[in-house]
Amino acid sequence: MIYICYGITKSASTFLYQMTEEVFRAAGRPVVKLGAPFRKSDSVENYFNFIDHDLLGEIERHVGGGDIVLKTHGPPRGEVASLVAAGKVLASASIRDPREIALSMIDHGARSRRWRNKPFSEFVTVTDTLNSLDIQLGCFREWAVVEPVKIFTYNEICYDSAAVIRAIANQIGAAIDIENVLARFRDKGVIGQFSKGKALRYSEMSPGDQAVFLERYAELYASHAFDTDKARSVASEQSSLKLRASGELAQHITNLRRRFGI
């Protein structure tokens, strides 16, 4: 079985991808990790910028009857949407409040400039993120309109993980011990791309900037309830804490732990 995890950037898409793989493993179904010619030998995930039906065909032949989870930030190209609609491929899509995505992109930009890395280095202010968000939200909509796709919000993934794990298990038709899957992620140091972990982070944004986002993405806000009771509870618990975005070194350590299963 091929399972595709699409995620808009900074929407806990890596965490969702990792949980999906763990659900398969908990069901006694080991997942395939791709190497050459699909991915580099040291790759920690089956990530592709774009996934089309030709790539899926190659991967299906490669894994035979095995299970594999793929990750992407790109749209469903070619006949991928049709394959998902027909139930031949399973998929999920993750989304987050655009205000919070923008703030996280800026964090990543600061980290990249500090370490002289190119990815995300162009994001300095919230205005810098708008064009990228427009493009990515277009990709999200292409996945979201395919009815069988399971849509998960950042707050559900991070603060109601058990419900997300249960939904994925139901999607693949598996009975699993949810607590055993959750236990794998109690140490946040194993979650890829984990940064600040602040609930309802949009509160950091000025009212004027928030107004721009609320107007520009009004349709999205009308369609998705991003705030949840559990996120509000976590936000209250965090109110006295000073949370810092993780640095480049922490990200490298996490990737090493993921690569070697530490």
Side-chain angles (χ1 to χ4, degrees):
M1 175 184 291
I2 295 177
Y3 191 114
I4 302 173
C5 287
Y6 161 80
I8 192 168
T9 242
K10 307 304 180 187
S11 66
S13 56
T14 300
F15 188 19
L16 180 60
Y17 168 81
Q18 289 178 272
M19 284 197 292
T20 304
E21 286 197 324
E22 286 301 322
V23 168
F24 274 96
R25 294 189 185 105
R29 296 164 61 175
V31 288
V32 176
K33 282 292 187 183
L34 295 173
F38 299 99
R39 299 291 302 149
K40 294 180 180 178
S41 59
D42 62 349
S43 178
V44 296
E45 55 195 30
N46 299 325
Y47 175 81
F48 295 91
N49 288 327
F50 300 103
I51 294 176
D52 61 19
H53 58 281
D54 289 333
L55 175 63
L56 291 183
E58 292 174 17
I59 290 174
E60 187 172 32
R61 287 188 290 273
H62 178 76
V63 303
D67 293 307
I68 188 166
V69 182
L70 309 178
K71 180 173 180 274
T72 187
H73 292 310
R77 285 186 163 182
E79 299 173 10
V80 172
S82 297
L83 291 172
V84 174
K88 296 179 180 179
V89 173
L90 298 181
S92 65
S94 59
I95 184 66
R96 186 181 187 182
D97 187 321
R99 294 170 293 181
E100 297 181 347
I101 297 173
L103 292 171
S104 189
M105 289 168 74
I106 292 168
D107 282 348
H108 196 155
R111 188 172 80 232
S112 292
R113 290 189 298 277
R114 190 162 51 247
W115 285 74
R116 301 184 186 280
N117 294 332
K118 186 175 180 180
F120 287 83
S121 60
E122 69 271 28
F123 301 119
V124 180
T125 70
V126 291
T127 303
D128 297 332
T129 69
L130 294 175
N131 286 340
S132 176
L133 280 170
D134 289 347
I135 294 169
Q136 293 190 68
L137 286 169
C139 292
F140 169 75
R141 293 185 187 99
E142 289 188 49
W143 286 100
V145 296
V146 185
E147 189 172 336
V149 172
K150 293 290 184 183
I151 299 175
F152 300 109
T153 67
Y154 175 92
N155 286 337
E156 290 170 334
I157 297 165
C158 295
Y159 310 121
D160 199 5
S161 303
V164 172
I165 290 168
R166 185 179 298 109
I168 297 168
N170 289 339
Q171 190 181 12
I172 70 172
I176 64 168
D177 187 326
I178 293 173
E179 288 302 317
N180 280 348
V181 176
L182 280 174
R184 178 74 179 87
F185 302 103
R186 290 210 172 92
D187 177 359
K188 297 297 187 288
V190 303
I191 299 175
Q193 298 299 319
F194 181 84
S195 182
K196 207 168 187 177
K198 182 174 180 178
L200 308 188
R201 191 183 173 188
Y202 62 80
S203 60
E204 297 177 2
M205 187 179 283
S206 73
D209 285 338
Q210 289 196 48
V212 171
F213 280 75
L214 293 172
E215 180 179 353
R216 191 181 188 97
Y217 304 116
E219 182 182 350
L220 184 74
Y221 286 111
S223 303
H224 299 278
F226 293 110
D227 290 9
T228 64
D229 288 339
K230 290 194 176 182
R232 293 187 189 97
S233 176
V234 173
S236 178
E237 294 170 3
Q238 294 175 336
S239 60
S240 61
L241 303 177
K242 290 185 178 180
L243 302 176
R244 297 177 58 187
S246 64
E248 191 73 7
L249 181 59
Q251 297 290 341
H252 282 304
I253 291 172
T254 296
N255 283 336
L256 283 173
R257 295 183 68 181
R258 292 177 65 195
R259 180 181 175 189
F260 295 107
I262 301 173

